Amino acid sequence: MSGRDQLSRAEIAKDALQAGAEAAAHTVGEVATIVTRAVGDVAAAVGGLATEIFEIRDSSRRALADQDPDDPDDQQV
């Protein structure tokens, strides 16, 4: 022997398989993080849109009420 540890073919194959599995797991984790963040961003954007729509509806109702407060049909949009 030359002083170096000798690895069997089986151990080399196991190490390569382990490294590949670790790389795949890391990539899956990164993708999951990206997808999770994207879903959260989409939910926030949709929530912001819903808030804007409610504010527009309320503003429209107030504007109609200011035009003719005695007409009950102007209270509904």
Side-chain angles (χ1 to χ4, degrees), residues 5-19:
D5 290 334
Q6 295 293 320
L7 298 176
S8 69
R9 289 179 185 263
E11 191 169 359
I12 292 169
K14 187 255 332 159
D15 289 347
L17 184 61
Q18 181 179 346

Side-chain angles (χ1 to χ4, degrees), residues 41-71:
D41 290 348
V42 168
V46 170
L49 174 62
T51 298
E52 290 291 325
I53 290 172
F54 288 133
E55 289 175 358
I56 291 167
R57 183 189 66 185
D58 291 343
S59 295
S60 177
R61 285 181 177 170
R62 282 193 302 273
L64 287 171
D66 289 346
Q67 291 295 317
D68 188 359
D70 296 327
D71 188 351

